[in-house]
Amino acid sequence: GAGVSQSPSNKVTEKGKDVELRCDPISGHTALYWYRQSLGQGLEFLIYFQGNSAPDKSGLPSDRFSAERTGGSVSTLTIQRTQQEDSAVYLCASSKQGSGTEAFFGQGTRLTVV
Amino acid sequence: DAKTTQPTSMDCAEGRAANLPCNHSTISGNEYVYWYRQIHSQGPQYIIHGLKNNETNEMASLIITEDRKSSTLILPHATLRDTAVYYCIVRVANSGNTPLVFGKGTRLSVIA
């Protein structure tokens, strides 16, 4: 597709289980970003990739969170041993290389931990 | 930390211009001003960005003061579909792609 695609769109999981969230960026976009948005809150930056490397992991909330990107394209955000406070919408965005470029967001994955 | 200050909420009558202010008094010479909006239950949508000069596109106009310490996003003829949270963001212009840091934004309600 032409836009950023995220899957699944909704995920309900039991506390303590691991989940994987997928992001397919726009073709040719070298930068990829993950954010999370809890109900009624603003967007919280988690991690970003430049190609396959992650220069900034400062936003990952704990060591239960990890992310990887392969082939400069698809990225996976993994949350291990999920907790109820992990419930949120996880948003992915991508952008071209270079300054002053806009980022395009996907529709997000709504994660509910029960 | 967000480097911008925006009003929490604003109302605008349908068909009128919506003028959304943003203060960024600590902006550096190499930082752009970006505007995004987030309609309920959707991902953020890029609107416009600028460095020094005023900018206009099919969605909106961006007016940046001469000292660059504040800006105004103008939606010339607001419609009900423009109801959203509008985020003003400053971001360094460099060869890399630093993440956008979102503040709390302005919740714009367009009223029929």
Side-chain angles (χ1 to χ4, degrees):
Chain A
V4 177
S5 177
Q6 292 188 246
S7 61
S9 55
N10 283 284
K11 175 72 176 179
V12 179
T13 190
E14 292 181 351
K15 178 182 173 181
K17 294 288 181 73
D18 298 351
V19 294
E20 285 189 353
L21 311 180
R22 177 185 169 107
C23 174
D24 282 272
I26 294 172
S27 178
H29 281 195
T30 56
L32 186 148
Y33 314 84
W34 283 99
Y35 292 82
R36 132 175 120 169
Q37 189 169 34
S38 301
L39 186 62
Q41 302 298 311
L43 282 88
E44 176 188 4
F45 167 72
L46 298 179
I47 187 172
Y48 98 96
F49 289 89
Q50 189 63 35
N52 290 333
S53 64
D56 188 350
K57 303 180 181 179
S58 63
L60 292 176
S62 74
D63 59 7
R64 296 186 295 105
F65 288 72
S66 63
E68 65 175 13
R69 188 180 186 195
T70 55
S73 181
V74 172
S75 176
T76 303
L77 178 70
T78 301
I79 309 173
Q80 295 177 310
R81 305 181 302 281
T82 52
Q83 303 294 314
Q84 287 186 328
E85 60 263 28
D86 299 335
S87 296
V89 176
Y90 289 81
L91 290 155
C92 175
S94 69
S95 68
K96 293 179 184 177
Q97 175 66 35
S99 61
T101 57
E102 63 264 34
F104 295 88
F105 282 79
Q107 292 303 300
T109 293
R110 181 175 298 279
L111 176 66
T112 304
V113 182
V114 297
Chain B
D1 293 334
K3 298 170 63 175
T4 62
T5 304
Q6 299 177 252
T8 302
S9 63
M10 292 181 64
D11 292 340
C12 178
E14 188 179 20
R16 295 295 188 103
N19 297 283
L20 293 95
C22 180
N23 286 322
H24 31 78
S25 59
T26 61
I27 193 169
S28 301
N30 64 345
E31 287 183 315
Y32 285 87
V33 179
Y34 282 79
W35 282 84
Y36 280 75
R37 73 179 182 184
Q38 188 173 25
I39 296 170
H40 182 62
S41 297
Q42 297 184 21
Q45 176 190 23
Y46 165 82
I47 301 173
I48 198 166
H49 73 281
L51 186 61
K52 296 181 182 178
N53 299 321
N54 298 337
E55 301 288 344
T56 296
N57 63 20
E58 65 277 5
M59 289 183 68
S61 294
L62 174 61
I63 308 299
I64 303 174
T65 58
E66 192 169 343
D67 64 7
R68 301 187 69 240
K69 293 185 176 182
S70 66
S71 61
T72 301
L73 179 75
I74 301 173
L75 307 178
H77 306 288
T79 71
L80 298 178
R81 288 177 294 181
D82 292 322
T83 292
V85 178
Y86 287 77
Y87 297 97
C88 169
I89 301 165
V90 296
R91 183 190 191 198
V92 173
N94 56 25
S95 60
N97 292 87
T98 53
L100 295 160
V101 178
F102 289 81
K104 297 188 183 300
T106 296
R107 183 173 297 278
L108 175 69
S109 298
V110 181
I111 303 167

